[in-house]
Amino acid sequence: MVKPPLPTSWLDTAERLCLVLASEAARYVAPLPIRLQDAAFVEVTDPANNLPSYEGTWRNPQGIRCGSLTLNSDGSYYAEYDVLTLHPEKPRWFVEAVTVWGRDGTVKAEPRLLAAV
């Protein structure tokens, strides 16, 4: 079960974002357990309109932040999850994280790459 304060109106979207994050991560590493119920959410105020938005954080067993999910009051969202591996097809690149973003049901995904110098 998701920990409050994430409202039920965001649950389907948040679950979908977790699935897309996990799918994108699986392109680079063994499957990761990116589960909504493992994120701790807090309600924040969107400075653009003073409406509630929600920020979730995943932490690894050592308590270090390894991912985040932001659900904005305007219907937009952004999430990232650490992958930390060499790119399997581009040896000069390192996959730092996978990211997803979008608005109102549209979801895009891509890796965040760093040069592996």
Side-chain angles (χ1 to χ4, degrees):
M1 192 68 161
V2 175
K3 301 172 191 92
L6 190 61
T8 56
S9 60
W10 275 112
L11 290 179
D12 288 342
T13 299
E15 287 285 359
R16 181 169 177 224
L17 295 173
C18 291
L19 291 172
V20 175
L21 269 179
S23 176
E24 185 69 15
R27 296 177 59 201
Y28 308 103
V29 295
L32 295 172
I34 303 173
R35 301 180 312 199
L36 185 60
Q37 65 265 27
D38 294 336
F41 281 88
V42 295
E43 183 177 310
V44 296
T45 301
D46 186 331
N49 57 21
N50 289 325
L51 294 174
S53 293
Y54 303 90
E55 292 181 357
T57 302
W58 287 281
R59 297 195 178 275
N60 68 16
Q62 293 78 33
I64 299 168
R65 180 189 165 282
C66 59
S68 66
L69 170 59
T70 302
L71 304 162
N72 295 308
S73 62
D74 66 358
S76 65
Y77 28 79
Y78 176 84
E80 63 183 12
Y81 202 90
D82 294 343
V83 175
L84 310 171
T85 190
L86 288 175
H87 194 288
E89 299 166 2
K90 300 176 182 179
R92 305 189 93 182
W93 292 96
F94 182 79
V95 182
E96 178 187 18
V98 291
T99 62
V100 298
W101 70 96
R103 175 188 300 271
D104 299 326
T106 301
V107 179
K108 310 262 184 179
E110 70 181 1
R112 186 168 60 225
L113 304 177
L114 297 172
V117 186

